Amino acid sequence: MTSTRTRLTAAAAAALALTLPLAVGNADAATTRTTATVDPAAAQAAATYTAAQVLAGVQQNSTAANKVNSKPHINTMTRAQNVNVYQVAPGVYAYSSGMAIDTDGSDSDPDPDHQGETTWEDSNGQALGAHHVPFYVLGDDCWDRTSPCPHFFYEERGMSGRQFALMFYNGKVIGSIFGDTQTANNQTTSDNDSRELGEASVKAAQLLGIPSSGTTGGVDNGVTVVMFSGSSWVVNGTNTNLNDHAQALVQTALDSLGASMAGTTPPTNPPPGGTRFEAETGTLSAGGTFDSDHLGFTGSAFANPANAAGSYLDIPVTAAAAGTVTLTFRYSDGTTAARPATITVNGTSRGTLNFPVTTDWDTWSTASVSVPLKAGANTIRVTGTTANGPANIDSVTVS
């Protein structure tokens, strides 16, 4: 639980400049995989949304008609009662405030208000570490003791510990999880209370470029937090990899929310950055399977080709025009040996691409190669050249 803190006010942050229109969607997925109000898999499409596009949509949907609290929340940094929460899409809630710095958890910290426990724990039952895990803080209970709560209360919104959120600040976006809570009603000795919004961990501040000291850090305003409800947006992992798992979900969340807010099919021309094609849209040679038993994959599954030389994965991709492109494969190889593979495009070999080992099967890396594509439909084949077969393949991005 967070405790009494002396906050030294930081200079006011400039308002985020948002000029891009809302555009198009895609999908990542992360961890717990069940039904969500905004489903990560529902965003699988041909192109992606940018952070600026999604933030612009969030701001456009943060209207009085979409406000879910009838009493304003307290900005933890400024103490002003001027923070509201909006339902910007089905099952997605957003607020803008300052950021106060939470140093609590298993990581030691010189902040005199540091506490060794966080409300929520990692998947191994350990207190979260504020220096390792980007997390945000919500009220512990309904301060008003009424139902429905006139303030935003997470238990009424399908949220639980390690619930994923996007955090935007000064042109940056990161993934974060629900990690700690503000003081409950039965903790009357604290200056904080459960109506407050705007506190986040040291790691979250560092990733966003906000001064991260628990005593002198923080920022008064300009931070937008977008929380995704539902069990499929709960992030699993430990203090050592929760940050990686949260960041792996960022583009998924942008795409899923962008598509939900737009309510339209993806446009023909994607924004810059490449077009991703999920491995599970393809086919595998005998013995291969599409699996979901590792963390951090995008879409609804990843390809697990058979452990045999010559085993392969075919991924269908489309190109608006003929030309040379870069194929970037997102893969995992949790063994101790690299898994080279022949890359074939429309039946013609384009050479061998090496897929080096990764830390474990939950860790994803990328490997790229330049190849020619024809306009329209193409087939990319990844064929293992060793007895281990190809690496696990999550997706291929064409750029």
Side-chain angles (χ1 to χ4, degrees), residues 44 47 73 105 113 128 139 142 148 162 167 190 209 257 266 330 392 395:
Q44 293 177 40
H73 287 263
D113 291 318
L128 300 176
C142 180
R162 303 199 307 272
M167 283 187 171
S190 175
L257 179 54
R330 189 169 189 262
N392 286 355
S395 63

Side-chain angles (χ1 to χ4, degrees), residues 26-30 33 40-41 233 248-253 276 278 297-299:
N26 202 311
D28 264 8
R33 284 261 201 228
W233 289 101
L249 276 174
V250 168
Q251 192 60 53
T252 305
R276 187 173 64 228
E278 296 292 343
F297 59 88
T298 65

Side-chain angles (χ1 to χ4, degrees), residues 223-281:
V223 179
T224 298
V225 179
V226 182
M227 302 168 288
F228 291 68
S229 68
S231 58
S232 67
W233 289 101
V234 172
V235 184
N236 295 323
T238 67
N239 276 299
T240 60
N241 57 28
L242 273 169
N243 177 50
D244 290 341
H245 294 168
Q247 304 323 312
L249 276 174
V250 168
Q251 192 60 53
T252 305
L254 291 173
D255 296 341
S256 183
L257 179 54
S260 180
M261 291 190 297
T264 59
T265 56
T268 302
N269 297 319
T275 303
R276 187 173 64 228
F277 299 89
E278 296 292 343
E280 65 268 28
T281 64

Side-chain angles (χ1 to χ4, degrees), residues 145-228:
R145 300 295 196 192
T146 60
S147 182
C149 189
H151 293 95
F152 177 85
F153 181 39
Y154 68 91
E155 286 187 354
E156 296 178 342
R157 305 293 174 176
M159 296 177 61
S160 62
R162 303 199 307 272
Q163 197 80 45
F164 179 80
L166 292 170
M167 283 187 171
F168 299 85
Y169 177 72
N170 200 25
K172 296 181 180 180
V173 62
I174 67 167
S176 182
I177 64 171
F178 181 17
D180 207 358
T181 57
Q182 289 285 11
T183 305
N185 280 326
N186 60 355
Q187 292 179 296
T188 56
T189 59
S190 175
D191 290 341
N192 297 342
D193 67 45
S194 60
R195 294 171 294 178
E196 293 182 22
L197 285 175
E199 190 166 9
S201 68
V202 173
K203 184 66 173 181
Q206 291 173 340
L207 292 174
L208 289 172
I210 293 172
S212 60
S213 167
T215 55
T216 62
V219 67
D220 281 359
N221 55 54
V223 179
T224 298
V225 179
V226 182
M227 302 168 288
F228 291 68

Side-chain angles (χ1 to χ4, degrees), residues 331-335 356-365:
Y331 76 95
S332 180
D333 176 12
T335 66
V357 298
T358 56
T359 302
D360 52 39
W361 291 110
D362 295 328
T363 301
W364 300 89
S365 187

